[in-house]
Amino acid sequence: MKVVEPIGMKHRGKVRVTGIWGFNGKTKLKIPLFTAGISAGFPSPADDFVDKTLDLNEFLIKHPAATFFVRVEGTSMIEAGIHPGDILIVDRALEPHDNNIVIAVLNSEFTVKRFRRRGDTCYLLAENPAFKPLEISGDMQIELWGVVTHVIHKV
Amino acid sequence: MEKRFALVDCNNFYVSCERVFTPGLEGKPVVVLSNNDGCIIARSNEIKQLGIKIGDPLFRWKATIKKCGGHIYSSNYTLYADMSRRVMETLASFAPDIEIYSIDEAFLPLSGLREDSCKYGRRIRHTVKKWTGIPVSIGIGPTKTLAKAAARVAKKDSACAGVFDISHHPEDILAGLDVSEIWGIGYRHARFLKRHGIRTGLDLKEIEDSWIKKHLTITGLRTAWELRGISCIPLEEVSAPKKSIMCSRSFGREVNSFDELRQAVTSYTARAAEKARRQRSAASCIHVFLIENPFVHSHFTSHAACVQLPVPSAHTPELTGYALAILERIFKPGLSFRKAGVMLTGLVPRGQVQMNLFYPGREGLRELSLMKTIDTINTRWGRDTITYAGCGIERPWGMRRARLSARFTTCWNDIPVVKAS
């Protein structure tokens, strides 16, 4: 079981455990404890170098409560390395900044675009010359649903 | 130090969950239905404005909802449970500990908070909405009962923008609070109080202790004290393991064959046993009940029996054996049933099972690891990935859920699609 770190209560350098906040039962954090038997023979000389196993969740997901997965349909983001069928990791806790890839709601549908900010004007760009950019003018209501942090692409 | 609590309450929670993943629903009338799609159990504000009440049967309003472009959903508990977990996890970063009060409510201790409580509340509200997409209302007060009353104001009065602290003028609010709406005052007590001329929170607050204690017991007295701003109900941080576990469902249609009942009872037993194992308990007693179709006799007739286990167990095959033996005894051919259920009682911690000299018990190490394996597989790959043949394959008696949305956050095949076009 993986203990989820309390968001916003991180301490620099050393992590202080202030409580257990719930757990994500989906993945396991494997911690090898005794790789060599306790009673028999010599201890393995590698024991001093035992580290925890690598956990992809820990690497890819900074805000578990705010992170969602979505699947891509279409080719408009192909030059950003986003292909049809890919899975995107979306973090809603992040503020969208210039040049981020975002999930936006357009005509009641989720779309994936490159977010551009030039002064007071924002743009939603495709990463494929066949698609036109979209300018967000003052009176247009566009909801930015989340910021894409990673693409999961099968090679 | 003066105590302070916040109650965070999700607005129209089930409807809000559906809206996060279906963006076109914002501003439209939306309802969510009970099990078997019978009654309305959650409403968007647009639906509330139409005068539709919680618990109303769908058939009465279906045409109205359709006519105003509304949307109707079956309850998707998998989705709601995951969204609830996300909301609670987000709240956990705002207070040293939280009490999860229900799927859509939590108490936060705010004692010792240095900044303005309403400002802090607004920050919580903004963060939960941004991170999870769920809108919440927040009530703040010196006791849990007052925080709960404040949350009602936060939700109803749009001037509060979702956050209300009752500490400054509790009297004004309590004067407008009907006794039946006070946290901890049940339907019967509310009727009793009204007969004695006690109609509002303010009335109850000013009644003598001895009278309240005599008529409403110590629980009622605690509520009255809490209304006066004296905190008597502490935060419950860890929910104690349940003393009994129930799994019961209404059927999608009438059921009268023994085979179908056997499938239903087998699946409910499997589910209940899984829940018992999750909280590391073993059951000493198993109950099975059947409820006849109430529309035939115009009243509920139930058939029930229970068995005391020789050694407490959480081993599904063993419990199923007992459950089916009970079912055989209570089943009567020729009757049609609307609902069945299985209840495990006398739950004891796994490690404290009393052995029986004359009966070795069937739950050895092999059985334990079998159950553990099945539970692990079903947690990782979804419920019923491995199931018991006795539960049936097609399950024609199963729940009606014709308008179910996808499991957007818990199943790889169901995650939302984003257009790149």
Side-chain angles (χ1 to χ4, degrees):
Chain A
M1 277 179 274
K2 181 190 166 201
V3 176
V4 176
E5 206 178 294
I7 299 143
M9 296 188 97
K10 283 176 200 158
H11 294 260
R12 262 174 175 265
K14 211 170 126 196
V15 173
R16 190 165 64 93
V17 177
T18 52
I20 295 173
W21 305 103
F23 68 90
N24 174 357
K26 286 260 166 62
T27 59
K28 286 188 174 178
L29 186 67
K30 290 177 197 142
I31 302 170
L33 279 176
F34 299 105
T35 45
I38 302 167
S39 54
F42 293 101
S44 156
D47 263 3
D48 279 350
F49 302 95
V50 166
D51 211 341
K52 63 178 188 178
T53 54
L54 296 175
D55 181 10
L56 263 183
N57 280 339
E58 180 191 87
F59 180 67
L60 297 173
I61 299 175
K62 296 294 172 253
H63 307 105
T67 298
F68 296 84
F69 299 104
V70 298
R71 195 180 302 276
V72 179
E73 210 177 83
T75 54
S76 72
M77 293 300 282
I78 216 133
E79 285 177 9
I82 297 174
H83 297 77
D86 285 357
I87 288 173
L88 306 180
I89 303 181
V90 183
D91 190 340
R92 288 182 55 109
L94 302 174
E95 281 309 325
H97 290 300
D98 180 42
N99 225 20
N100 280 163
I101 290 176
V102 297
I103 304 297
V105 176
L106 283 177
N107 306 319
S108 302
E109 273 184 343
F110 291 125
T111 53
V112 51
K113 297 276 183 192
R114 171 90 60 189
F115 180 68
R116 257 305 141 70
R117 180 173 272 158
R118 289 287 172 270
D120 289 342
T121 321
C122 296
Y123 300 89
L124 291 176
L125 312 181
E127 291 275 349
N128 181 336
F131 295 85
K132 281 196 186 124
L134 180 81
E135 189 182 321
I136 310 171
S137 47
D139 53 341
M140 248 169 116
Q141 280 287 329
I142 284 202
E143 185 198 343
L144 295 183
W145 197 86
V147 175
V148 176
T149 58
H150 298 87
V151 188
I152 302 174
H153 176 74
K154 194 170 188 303
V155 291
Chain B
M1 182 174 55
E2 199 178 301
K3 285 215 163 118
R4 203 139 37 135
F5 298 90
L7 176 75
V8 180
D9 188 357
C10 301
N11 299 347
N12 314 332
F13 181 57
Y14 297 171
V15 169
S16 299
C17 290
E18 300 290 351
R19 278 180 169 163
V20 173
F21 299 99
T22 312
L25 296 178
E26 206 52 60
K28 298 256 176 66
V30 181
V31 295
V32 175
L33 305 175
S34 59
N35 285 342
N36 285 317
D37 294 351
C39 302
I40 292 165
I41 53 164
R43 307 160 297 161
S44 68
N45 291 344
E46 297 76 15
I47 290 285
K48 290 176 187 172
Q49 276 158 20
L50 291 170
I52 298 175
K53 298 266 174 297
I54 286 272
D56 281 356
L58 173 65
F59 69 83
R60 193 189 295 163
W61 294 105
K62 202 168 172 180
T64 318
I65 296 169
K66 288 269 155 181
K67 210 165 72 192
C68 53
H71 297 258
I72 302 169
Y73 286 92
S74 302
S75 35
N76 185 346
Y77 284 110
T78 319
L79 176 68
Y80 310 152
D82 183 64
M83 292 306 285
S84 171
R85 177 187 65 81
R86 289 167 182 271
V87 171
M88 300 306 168
E89 237 177 85
T90 309
L91 293 177
S93 60
F94 283 97
D97 33 42
I98 72 170
E99 175 189 344
I100 298 174
Y101 182 65
S102 71
I103 191 165
D104 59 355
E105 289 169 289
F107 285 105
L108 273 60
L110 295 187
S111 313
L113 183 73
R114 293 225 181 90
E115 69 178 280
D116 175 62
S117 60
C118 280
K119 211 169 132 197
Y120 196 66
R122 278 194 291 276
R123 213 163 77 219
I124 297 176
R125 190 167 180 268
H126 173 81
T127 307
V128 174
K129 171 76 175 143
K130 177 155 172 42
W131 287 31
T132 67
I134 302 290
V136 298
S137 303
I138 301 178
I140 299 163
T143 69
K144 282 165 81 178
T145 308
L146 286 172
K148 192 95 176 159
R152 282 181 55 83
V153 180
K155 191 175 279 191
K156 291 230 163 114
D157 186 352
S158 55
C160 304
V163 181
F164 183 72
D165 188 337
I166 200 170
S167 313
H168 312 301
H169 311 285
E171 276 77 16
D172 301 352
I173 301 301
L174 292 181
L177 183 69
D178 192 281
V179 279
S180 65
E181 283 161 354
I182 298 171
W183 187 51
I185 300 290
Y187 170 71
R188 203 165 294 174
H189 278 160
R191 235 176 29 177
F192 170 83
L193 287 168
K194 281 183 184 170
R195 267 208 309 276
H196 288 79
I198 300 156
R199 308 195 161 274
T200 68
L202 193 62
D203 295 342
L204 181 62
K205 183 182 164 201
E206 279 158 12
I207 301 294
E208 248 174 71
D209 282 359
S210 57
W211 189 90
I212 299 177
K213 197 176 171 187
K214 187 173 162 207
H215 296 285
L216 303 185
T217 74
I218 188 76
T219 334
L221 186 61
R222 236 177 258 150
T223 302
W225 279 43
E226 286 242 319
L227 289 175
R228 290 172 205 162
I230 304 158
S231 177
C232 313
I233 306 172
L235 208 65
E236 287 168 33
E237 288 149 39
V238 186
S239 61
K242 291 197 182 99
K243 295 275 163 46
S244 67
I245 289 172
M246 165 99 115
C247 179
S248 79
R249 308 244 197 299
S250 303
F251 301 129
R253 58 164 168 78
E254 274 174 34
V255 168
N256 46 30
S257 86
F258 183 78
D259 271 348
E260 287 183 9
L261 287 173
R262 198 183 56 197
Q263 291 180 7
V265 167
T266 307
S267 8
Y268 301 164
T269 309
R271 184 87 189 103
E274 189 191 323
K275 284 189 195 167
R277 289 194 295 271
R278 193 177 305 155
Q279 64 168 40
R280 293 170 211 281
S281 302
S284 340
C285 192
I286 177 165
H287 308 242
V288 175
F289 62 85
L290 299 173
I291 291 173
E292 278 183 57
N293 191 347
F295 302 111
V296 176
H297 302 292
S298 76
H299 59 89
F300 290 91
T301 315
S302 71
H303 306 264
C306 69
V307 162
Q308 182 90 35
L309 275 64
V311 174
S313 165
H315 186 53
T316 304
E318 183 177 9
L319 293 172
T320 310
Y322 290 116
L324 294 181
I326 301 171
L327 177 67
E328 260 175 61
R329 208 166 63 197
I330 61 178
F331 173 74
K332 290 194 182 65
L335 297 178
S336 68
F337 299 98
R338 196 68 221 223
K339 187 176 188 174
V342 171
M343 188 161 69
L344 303 178
T345 59
L347 294 178
V348 291
R350 263 284 181 57
Q352 295 171 22
V353 168
Q354 179 68 52
M355 290 300 158
N356 186 320
L357 181 59
F358 302 104
Y359 179 84
R362 278 204 245 158
E363 217 178 10
L365 277 179
R366 274 171 62 86
E367 285 74 14
L368 278 176
S369 71
L370 174 64
M371 289 298 113
K372 207 173 157 194
T373 308
I374 292 177
D375 290 346
T376 311
I377 291 171
N378 285 341
T379 311
R380 177 163 319 167
W381 303 103
R383 190 179 293 172
D384 288 344
T385 303
I386 290 193
T387 175
Y388 299 84
C391 299
I393 307 293
E394 297 204 338
R395 307 184 190 180
W397 43 269
M399 253 202 289
R400 256 199 313 259
R401 292 202 288 184
R403 299 154 187 279
L404 192 63
S405 54
R407 288 167 294 171
F408 296 110
T409 58
T410 53
C411 177
W412 286 113
N413 288 329
D414 281 7
I415 61 175
V417 168
V418 298
K419 293 277 169 65
S421 54

